[in-house]
């Protein structure tokens, strides 16, 4: 054996031991009373640890969670971790395992996979989502949601400029409009003034939904500044009345 082979064998043994320990801890956590404080969070953390090395086993454990809501939350966490390491394997699993589940559960789990994919490869995640079918209205909604997840994940990871460039290169249409709104909303959450400057640069291309997205986020932290920006809009702008209500509510 070479030194590299020995290192690989040692790593595999450590991973196997770690995985076995995680399984034991999971069994112990699942046996705790439902009323035990922190039980759900502990189980989810352990499932994410196991998902890094054996996601299928982690999904099997999630089936033992009696609460449907907690089980779904656990699966989403597992799938996000799996996709961050092996996106193609996670997507291949989804293609078969999610084919016959209710659409709301399928969409939720697909969004989790895309989030994980986008954490490590936003361009690949965007390309995959952008290639999905638009044959039906539900297909189009899912596609737009997944693309939105990619943009959101990319911005939160510090890739604002890259997300902006990606959207700018898209053909005009409803999908681009939806992603621009997502961009403005995420941007405004941490730098509303710059998001407002971007919005103004679009001129007539700035939609009502983009303006209201900006105001909704801005008003959460600084309603006075949001109101000052809004005062520059014509009163007959469709966003004016909606945004005024948002500011008033937050203020």
């Amino acid at each position: 054996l070479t030194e590299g082979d020995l290192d690989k064998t040692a790593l595999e043994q450590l991973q196997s031991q770690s995985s076995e320990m995680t399984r034991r801890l999971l069994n112990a956590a699942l046996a705790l009373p439902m009323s035990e404080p922190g039980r759900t969070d502990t189980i989810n953390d352990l499932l994410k640890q196991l998902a890094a090395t054996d996601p299928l086993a982690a999904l099997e454990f999630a089936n033992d969670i009696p609460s449907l809501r907690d089980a779904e939350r656990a699966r989403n966490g597992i799938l996000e971790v799996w996709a961050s390491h092996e996106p193609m394997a996670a997507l291949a699993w989804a293609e078969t395992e999610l084919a016959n589940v209710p659409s709301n559960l399928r969409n939720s789990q697909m969004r989790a996979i895309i989030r994980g994919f986008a954490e490590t490869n936003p361009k690949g995640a965007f390309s995959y989502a952008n290639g999905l079918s638009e044959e039906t209205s539900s297909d189009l909604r899912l596609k737009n949601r997944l693309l939105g997840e990619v943009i959101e994940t990319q911005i939160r990871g510090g890739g604002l400029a890259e997300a902006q460039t990606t959207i700018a290169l898209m053909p005009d249409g409803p999908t681009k409009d939806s992603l621009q709104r997502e961009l403005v909303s995420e941007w405004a959450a941490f730098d509303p003034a710059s998001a407002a400057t971007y919005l103004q640069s679009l001129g007539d291309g700035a939609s009502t939904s983009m303006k209201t997205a900006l105001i909704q986020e801005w008003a959460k932290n600084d309603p006075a500044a949001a109101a000052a920006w809004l005062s520059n809009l014509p009163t007959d702008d469709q966003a004016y009345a909606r945004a005024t209500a948002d500011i008033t509510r937050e203020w």
Side-chain angles (χ1 to χ4, degrees), residues 34-103:
M34 295 287 288
S35 58
E36 183 72 21
R39 177 182 181 274
T40 298
D41 289 339
T42 298
I43 290 172
N44 285 340
D45 289 342
L46 289 169
L47 286 172
K48 289 177 183 178
Q49 289 180 31
L50 184 58
T53 55
D54 195 343
L56 294 178
L59 289 168
E60 285 294 325
F61 271 105
N63 291 334
D64 294 332
I65 299 175
S67 165
L68 294 177
R69 180 179 179 181
D70 289 345
E72 180 61 15
R73 178 185 169 195
R75 288 190 193 93
N76 286 347
I78 293 165
L79 292 171
E80 188 169 335
V81 171
W82 187 8
S84 70
H85 291 84
E86 299 177 301
M88 293 300 104
L91 288 167
W93 173 89
E95 187 173 343
T96 56
E97 297 299 324
L98 300 183
N100 298 313
V101 302
S103 60

Side-chain angles (χ1 to χ4, degrees), residues 72 75-77 79-81 83-84 91 93-94 98 103-119 125 128-129 132 141-150 152-153 156 182 186:
E72 180 61 15
R75 288 190 193 93
N76 286 347
L79 292 171
E80 188 169 335
V81 171
S84 70
L91 288 167
W93 173 89
L98 300 183
S103 60
N104 61 325
L105 295 180
R106 177 179 181 272
N107 293 352
S108 174
Q109 293 181 43
M110 284 299 300
R111 290 171 70 178
I113 291 173
I114 286 295
R115 278 197 302 274
F117 194 173
E119 286 172 9
Y128 171 83
L132 291 175
R141 281 196 299 273
L142 176 60
K143 176 178 177 176
N144 286 341
R145 286 173 183 168
L146 296 184
L147 287 170
E149 287 289 351
V150 177
E152 182 178 333
T153 302
R156 290 182 178 179
E182 186 71 37
E186 289 298 319

Side-chain angles (χ1 to χ4, degrees), residues 228-242:
W229 183 83
L230 182 63
S231 67
N232 293 317
L233 290 182
T235 54
D236 61 351
D237 191 309
Q238 292 184 6
Y240 193 90
R242 298 182 194 178

Side-chain angles (χ1 to χ4, degrees), residues 187-188 190-198 200 214 218 229:
W187 196 346
F190 63 89
D191 189 358
S194 295
T197 299
Y198 166 74
Q200 289 171 333
L214 170 67
W218 205 343
W229 183 83

